[in-house]
Amino acid sequence: MEAPKEIFLKDYKKPDYFFDTVDLQFQLGEEKTIVTSKIVVSPGVKAGISAPLVLHGRDLKLLSIKVNGTELKSDKYTINSRHLTLSTPPADVFNLEIITEIYPQLNTSLEGLYKSTGNFCTQCEAEGFRKITYFQDRPDVMAKYTCRIEADKTLYPVLLSNGNLIEKGDLEGGKHYALWEDPFKKPSYLFALVAGQLDCRNDSFVTCSGRNVALRIWTPAQDLPKTAHAMYSLKAAMKWDEEVFGLEYDLDLFNIVVVPDFNMGAMENKSLNIFQSRLVLASPETATDGDYAAILGVVGHEYFHNWTGNRQVASQHYHNGCSFFELAYQKVTCRDWFQLTLKEGLTVFRDQEFSSDLGCRAVKRIADVSKLRIYQFPQDAGPMAHPIRPHSYIKVLILNCRCTKQSTNYWPSPVEPLKPLSEESSLTLVMNFAVTVYEKGAEVVRMYKTMFGASGFRKGMDLYFQRHDGQAVTCEDFYAAMCDANNAQLPNFLQWYSQAGTPTVRVVSSYDPSSQIFSLKLSQEVPPTPGQPVKEPMFIPVAVGLVDSTGKDMPLTSIYSDGTLQTLSSDGQPVFTTVLQFKKKEEEFIFKNIPERPVPSLLRGYSAPVRLDSDLSESDLFFLLANDSDEFNRWEAGQVLARKLMLSLVADFQQQKTLVLNPKFVEGLGSILRNTSLDKEFIAKAITLPGQGEIMDMMEVADPDAVHAVRNFIKKELALQLKEDLLAAVISNRSSEAYTFDHDSMARRALKNTCLAYLASLNEPDVTELALHEYNSATNMTEQFAALAALSQNPGQAREDALLDFYNKWQDEYLVVSKWFALQATSDIPGNVANVEKLLSHPAFDLRNPNKVYSLIGGFCGSPVNFHAKDGSGYKFLGEIVLQLDKINPQVASRMVSAFSRWRRYDETRQALAKAQLEMIVSANGLSENVYEIASKSLAD
């Protein structure tokens, strides 16, 4: 097929026409839906000059088109499968009326207007609105909308859209209507409509200025009890945004609707958020701690879009000690899809901070960095590498970016029932655009806060809001606001928006005892990426502390660099951590008055998204693991030790040498496990080994079998040598108290479950009995599912019995069944592809439901040892499934095919087998653009 057209940032131009108001009318029917749009169009070009008006449209039947009330003759417009073009529209303001016919019940792509379990629902970001009516479907065309919905009152008693309900009433023939008005201008991608049989949880929130906001979460009646945590999360997010950023909600109503069939995690449509079920519905019996945490973060994320993505304000005021903004009823969003990181990177950063403030900051930071390394780093090193603001894109990248938005956040794993791994484990499955724009974009936003501090970052945010009232803005606008608010310049910082690739920072230290001078020599290298063979130095903030021989932080008095001596002070208090502004290819930073050789704690809090290569010795790393005051770096020291150990043992395995575990590593993790002063969730993170994908990513030729064997060896050896400590941790962290979602309780469960997973790797009868006891006595899904995962590690009757029992218990809970699918799909037991193929025929599986596809098929791709099976069976399975999926839902299919994107990382045998599947896919008849674009790019040199 012909390659899809690539769109370039340099070619951006403003639209020739703007839409002032859009009045929509939907006549919802069982066989078809009639959509009438009435648009007030203003020319964007010079007065008296008429350019063609090009409207986007897909899968639409045009019934009528009128300009200023007059039906257009066919010679006045042209129409094809993608566009409706008015060749000579009026040169002045005019009214455009278009009537289309669509078929939501046949729309399995889940874009535009479609039906889900009998209800009507929309998804318009990025380009779904063009499947509803002909329109300038681009983010810089913003208008005020009204929406009238007509439908059968019995079948669809609830009719929802954006904004405020203006009018409702009954119609003839058992129908009724609702008229909604959104007082704010918005782009078409934020339009939303829901109609169906739904019930709601009602609550309210009193804002900082005293306004009462009605809050409603809509879901089928039987699921209503499971919405309590989502409502708590929404109210917590509203309160946090007022307290931290002074941002008050600007409408009198906030709706959330739960949908089981949804391509992405959630969507921030103004005042009518739409969520995939698993990111709203939770009860202690059916949801894990990871589910609860995901709901908190994603509800927060979508709410925060109300300001960073959906709207903008003008002036700042104070009320009862709370700084907030006067409502200006405008919106700010990205000018074009190249600027997507402006709203998404910023909003991800905000949801990370929100979750950190409500939980444990160090543990949340570890989780976020782990996710970045597992998914974004491989993307930056692969054929899909691009900056956070790409220079070009093809539509599918944006679609997958939205599709991936929250669904990579949490996924079942044997060690932690839900943690920041995901259905995209071995691959970067759908890393296209998404993880860079979102996760690396959030890291770029975080660097502003690192440089300017919390108060300086807040000043920058305030100025950004004040300057850009009602505008569609660019990344440079945000950068300028941050720098201007803090009277500062950040040389080279904008390179983060334009250069792809993960920088490597190398650090060499030296100490002169006679002069008491400690030196850090830093160098940086940004690797070549597709289309960018030569890179410029980046601005990299490196947070540093120096640790003395007793394990205490040394006070830092000054830094000398580049001919400048900087005196360090903080309101007269000692400074223990400082941020080095590393902006050249090579720089040296000199610390004076250092009485002994310190151990440097580098990149504290992970102050920049880089790879770090330092001259820290093994003994230095063990010292930091035991003593560093920065909890992230304490964890990082253990991870560096583990990665080096695993790579060394992989080499031994490949050379058929006997594997021997370093006793210092065992003792180091054992001391962490026994340290009662540490946070229990931190301990769980600290004793968890790096994932197989992370180690393969560090190898010149990835070897799934060797990495899998080595990781299993280390896990079993640790379990064997630390068995008594692990058993003690399991027993001491049991609790008979009712489930609560708070950090201490979650930390207790995390440590218990991690230790149980280690013990289960031994596959000993006493441990199997222990796991069965934990499974049968569990009073919540977190502990029951963790015990099931532990039992599932080893083939045998205990595994089969537990899996069957779990399904029989929970077969009526579709979200729990998705966990059951995922647990089996991600299993590393030999030959698991046959089990996954059998599960495709299970009555609970549905290829049309994205969540179940991600659970089973995406989950299978997360098992390196089975997906990358040397006989090619995993590749063949995925290739065939992708073609089936492509006929149903091209977005989901393109996510799955992304599992092949780094096939060149493997040995020649695997390369040939994966390449054959990609070639089979691209040669298939009728292939969608979505799948073709990802598959063809993966094949390209």
Side-chain angles (χ1 to χ4, degrees):
M1 66 176 289
E2 182 182 350
K5 181 182 177 182
E6 196 163 6
I7 302 164
F8 293 90
L9 174 61
K10 62 182 176 62
D11 296 331
Y12 171 83
K13 72 182 193 74
K14 292 181 179 180
D16 291 325
Y17 294 88
F18 293 101
F19 293 170
D20 299 325
T21 61
V22 179
D23 297 320
L24 296 171
Q25 179 176 319
F26 290 81
Q27 294 171 282
L28 304 178
E30 295 307 289
E31 302 298 326
K32 62 185 179 182
T33 289
I34 305 299
V35 182
T36 301
S37 70
K38 297 179 180 180
I39 307 169
V40 176
V41 184
S42 297
V45 296
K46 292 181 180 179
I49 299 176
S50 180
L53 173 57
V54 180
L55 305 175
H56 303 99
R58 295 292 301 271
D59 304 328
L60 305 174
K61 180 179 179 180
L62 180 65
L63 300 182
S64 171
I65 179 168
K66 296 179 181 178
V67 171
N68 290 331
T70 302
E71 188 84 27
L72 284 190
K73 296 180 180 180
S74 59
D75 62 343
K76 298 297 183 181
Y77 64 89
T78 60
I79 191 168
N80 59 33
S81 62
R82 297 174 182 272
H83 299 101
L84 170 64
T85 303
L86 279 66
S87 53
T88 56
D92 298 317
V93 176
F94 66 94
N95 296 314
L96 175 65
E97 180 180 326
I98 298 174
I99 303 176
T100 56
E101 184 174 295
I102 58 176
Y103 311 97
Q105 74 280 4
L106 304 178
N107 182 3
T108 60
S109 71
L110 311 187
E111 299 174 78
L113 180 66
Y114 64 94
K115 293 195 77 173
S116 170
T117 58
N119 296 329
F120 285 93
C121 178
T122 58
Q123 173 48 40
C124 293
E125 191 177 11
E127 298 181 344
F129 195 77
R130 65 190 62 187
K131 287 191 165 189
I132 294 174
T133 186
Y134 288 102
F135 203 80
Q136 287 190 115
D137 194 10
R138 48 188 286 178
D140 55 354
V141 174
M142 302 202 295
K144 291 184 179 180
Y145 285 68
T146 64
C147 178
R148 178 185 170 99
I149 310 167
E150 299 179 6
D152 183 282
K153 188 172 184 178
T154 301
L155 295 175
Y156 310 104
V158 175
L159 306 175
L160 304 173
S161 190
N162 309 87
N164 299 313
L165 179 63
I166 300 301
E167 186 180 307
K168 64 178 181 178
D170 293 333
L171 299 170
E172 294 180 356
K175 294 185 177 183
H176 69 141
Y177 75 95
L179 177 63
W180 293 82
E181 179 184 53
D182 189 343
F184 308 137
K185 284 189 172 184
K186 65 170 177 278
S188 55
Y189 77 81
L190 288 174
F191 172 78
L193 177 154
V194 173
Q197 299 192 23
L198 301 165
D199 207 343
C200 74
R201 176 181 291 273
N202 283 290
D203 209 325
S204 62
F205 179 81
V206 178
T207 70
C208 191
S209 63
R211 289 187 310 107
N212 194 71
V213 179
L215 309 177
R216 293 171 187 160
I217 299 179
W218 298 87
T219 189
Q222 67 271 19
D223 290 327
L224 208 58
K226 297 176 187 173
T227 60
H229 177 65
M231 184 63 80
Y232 156 79
S233 301
L234 175 59
K235 296 174 75 171
M238 297 176 80
K239 184 173 186 290
W240 183 88
D241 218 16
E242 288 185 345
E243 293 175 348
V244 177
F245 288 107
L247 301 177
E248 179 182 0
Y249 186 62
D250 52 7
L251 281 172
D252 297 326
L253 173 65
F254 191 95
N255 284 310
I256 289 176
V257 179
V258 179
V259 179
D261 301 308
F262 204 56
N263 279 341
M264 61 185 65
M267 182 62 208
E268 70 268 18
N269 313 300
K270 181 74 178 183
S271 79
L272 183 56
N273 285 189
I274 298 178
F275 276 67
Q276 187 184 109
S277 304
R278 68 181 180 86
L279 291 170
V280 172
L281 304 180
S283 69
E285 297 78 21
T286 61
T288 66
D289 288 340
D291 292 325
Y292 274 82
I295 291 167
L296 179 74
V298 178
V299 168
H301 180 101
E302 301 307 331
Y303 173 75
F304 299 146
H305 266 310
N306 188 61
W307 286 91
T308 48
N310 284 10
R311 64 150 288 151
Q312 182 57 38
V313 294
S315 56
Q316 189 176 15
H317 294 277
Y318 293 85
H319 178 77
N320 293 336
C322 173
S323 169
F324 68 100
F325 285 92
E326 184 180 56
L327 308 182
Y329 305 114
Q330 299 292 329
K331 293 178 181 291
V332 65
T333 189
C334 51
R335 183 195 70 182
D336 49 70
W337 291 122
F338 296 103
Q339 318 293 332
L340 185 61
T341 194
L342 183 62
K343 75 183 187 77
E344 293 299 348
L346 177 56
T347 305
V348 168
F349 168 76
R350 276 156 46 75
D351 82 52
Q352 290 174 351
E353 289 292 285
F354 168 60
S355 294
S356 295
D357 285 346
L358 269 64
C360 174
R361 180 162 290 272
V363 169
K364 175 61 175 161
R365 188 67 185 131
I366 289 167
D368 292 336
V369 173
S370 296
K371 179 179 177 182
L372 184 81
R373 287 172 172 168
I374 292 168
Y375 306 119
Q376 199 280 322
F377 277 18
Q379 184 193 12
D380 250 354
M384 304 256 183
H386 57 81
I388 64 171
R389 179 176 60 184
H391 303 294
S392 67
Y393 70 82
I394 298 175
K395 180 188 76 171
V396 64
L397 295 180
I398 299 296
L399 295 177
N400 274 322
C401 187
R402 291 298 315 174
C403 185
T404 312
K405 180 173 178 181
Q406 284 88 23
S407 41
T408 59
N409 285 347
Y410 297 89
W411 200 258
S413 82
V415 172
E416 215 173 332
L418 282 174
K419 71 175 188 179
L421 288 179
S422 89
E423 66 267 44
E424 285 129 12
S425 266
S426 69
L427 30 203
T428 23
L429 195 125
V430 213
M431 289 304 96
N432 331 346
F433 222 70
V435 179
T436 293
V437 169
Y438 284 69
E439 310 305 329
K440 187 175 180 179
E443 293 298 317
V444 171
V445 173
R446 185 176 297 277
M447 286 191 284
Y448 289 112
K449 185 182 179 186
T450 298
M451 293 305 307
F452 299 134
S455 62
F457 184 80
R458 170 66 188 270
K459 286 195 298 182
M461 289 285 286
D462 290 353
L463 183 59
Y464 173 64
F465 290 138
Q466 291 166 8
R467 280 182 174 176
H468 300 294
D469 181 13
Q471 297 178 17
V473 294
T474 66
C475 297
E476 283 83 359
D477 295 323
F478 187 77
Y479 167 82
M482 282 290 160
C483 291
D484 292 350
N486 290 280
N487 193 26
Q489 293 298 317
L490 302 178
N492 303 350
F493 194 85
L494 286 173
Q495 298 284 9
W496 285 104
Y497 293 95
S498 60
Q499 285 192 165
T502 304
T504 294
V505 174
R506 293 181 172 84
V507 183
V508 177
S509 63
S510 64
Y511 179 68
D512 181 359
S514 60
S515 60
Q516 296 192 339
I517 288 177
F518 181 72
S519 163
L520 291 174
K521 292 183 179 179
L522 276 61
S523 62
Q524 61 169 288
E525 180 182 357
V526 187
T529 54
Q532 293 184 331
V534 179
K535 302 297 178 70
E536 297 296 321
M538 311 280 272
F539 183 103
I540 302 175
V542 180
V544 174
L546 304 180
V547 186
D548 68 19
S549 57
T550 68
K552 304 296 183 184
D553 283 340
M554 294 181 170
L556 307 176
T557 58
S558 66
I559 302 174
Y560 179 81
S561 176
D562 199 23
T564 302
L565 179 66
Q566 178 188 0
T567 301
L568 302 177
S569 65
S570 178
D571 297 326
Q573 298 299 313
V575 173
F576 296 105
T577 299
T578 190
V579 179
L580 310 179
Q581 296 189 23
F582 178 32
K583 48 190 178 290
K584 299 180 179 179
K585 187 169 180 60
E586 295 181 350
E587 286 190 77
E588 182 176 17
F589 298 86
I590 296 173
F591 299 81
K592 296 184 177 181
N593 304 317
I594 305 299
E596 62 173 297
R597 183 180 183 94
V599 177
S601 174
L602 305 166
L603 215 66
R604 281 187 158 177
Y606 199 63
S607 57
V610 301
R611 297 182 189 269
L612 181 64
D613 181 8
S614 76
D615 62 354
L616 289 171
S617 66
E618 183 181 274
S619 61
D620 290 337
L621 291 166
F622 277 116
F623 178 79
L624 292 174
L625 175 64
N627 297 288
D628 202 329
S629 64
D630 184 274
E631 287 189 295
F632 177 86
N633 270 14
R634 193 169 188 173
W635 169 82
E636 177 72 338
Q639 292 295 293
V640 173
L641 286 165
R643 288 194 290 266
K644 290 183 175 181
L645 173 66
M646 292 174 74
L647 287 170
S648 174
L649 289 175
V650 164
D652 289 345
F653 180 86
Q654 290 172 329
Q655 297 170 32
Q656 299 183 336
K657 293 181 180 179
T658 301
L659 302 184
V660 179
L661 187 58
N662 184 344
K664 290 179 66 177
F665 183 76
V666 179
E667 180 51 37
L669 291 198
S671 65
I672 293 289
L673 180 58
R674 292 186 291 269
N675 190 333
T676 56
S677 68
L678 294 174
D679 179 271
K680 290 183 178 182
E681 192 170 8
F682 173 81
I683 295 173
K685 297 284 188 188
I687 66 173
T688 299
L689 297 172
Q692 297 177 54
E694 190 175 351
I695 301 305
M696 289 194 296
D697 191 46
M698 300 175 71
M699 301 173 66
E700 188 173 338
V701 177
D703 187 341
D705 297 326
V707 173
H708 174 66
V710 163
R711 194 174 189 276
N712 274 0
F713 164 76
I714 297 174
K715 188 176 177 182
K716 288 182 179 180
E717 280 296 305
L718 287 171
L720 188 64
Q721 297 186 45
L722 299 175
K723 185 174 181 180
E724 295 306 314
D725 293 320
L726 294 167
L727 282 168
V730 170
I731 293 168
S732 65
N733 285 290
R734 288 171 174 163
S735 175
S736 58
E737 295 180 6
Y739 178 92
T740 54
F741 179 73
D742 59 63
H743 177 68
D744 288 344
S745 299
M746 290 172 63
R748 174 187 61 75
R749 290 188 287 267
L751 180 56
K752 176 194 166 192
N753 294 342
T754 301
C755 292
L756 183 63
Y758 265 110
L759 290 166
S761 69
L762 296 173
N763 198 18
E764 295 175 348
D766 62 325
V767 173
T768 301
E769 284 301 314
L770 173 67
L772 281 169
H773 175 271
E774 298 304 318
Y775 173 79
N776 290 319
S777 61
T779 59
N780 58 75
M781 181 54 66
T782 304
E783 291 176 303
Q784 185 174 73
F785 193 74
L788 178 67
L791 289 165
S792 298
Q793 289 185 47
N794 305 298
Q797 196 60 46
R799 177 183 192 272
E800 299 307 315
D801 290 347
L803 286 169
L804 180 60
D805 179 77
F806 187 85
Y807 178 76
N808 288 337
K809 282 180 179 177
W810 301 110
Q811 58 185 303
D812 295 328
E813 296 283 349
Y814 64 95
L815 292 177
V816 180
V817 172
S818 288
K819 299 181 194 299
W820 181 78
F821 279 130
L823 181 61
Q824 295 173 85
T826 56
S827 173
D828 289 332
I829 63 172
N832 195 42
V833 65
N835 296 329
V836 175
E837 286 176 331
K838 191 181 300 182
L839 286 170
L840 288 174
S841 302
H842 194 281
F845 182 75
D846 185 354
L847 202 60
R848 295 167 300 177
N849 180 270
N851 200 40
K852 290 181 179 177
V853 171
Y854 302 151
S855 296
L856 185 59
I857 300 166
F860 173 73
C861 296
S863 170
V865 72
N866 280 307
F867 176 61
H868 296 291
K870 205 150 193 174
D871 64 359
S873 56
Y875 300 153
K876 185 175 183 293
F877 167 75
L878 183 61
E880 293 171 350
I881 283 291
V882 162
L883 293 181
Q884 293 180 48
L885 270 172
D886 194 43
K887 303 297 184 186
I888 301 169
N889 190 324
Q891 276 195 41
V892 175
S894 64
R895 299 190 69 183
M896 297 300 108
V897 80
S898 297
F900 288 118
S901 64
R902 302 190 73 216
W903 59 276
R904 286 186 175 86
R905 294 279 297 112
Y906 298 90
D907 58 80
E908 291 182 359
T909 299
R910 288 184 170 92
Q911 284 188 36
L913 292 165
K915 184 180 181 183
Q917 291 302 313
L918 283 168
E919 290 174 338
M920 182 269 293
I921 290 169
V922 297
S923 64
N925 291 327
L927 195 67
S928 71
E929 283 185 4
N930 303 58
V931 171
Y932 177 81
E933 195 275 328
I934 301 299
S936 61
K937 273 204 167 187
S938 298
L939 280 170
D941 292 331

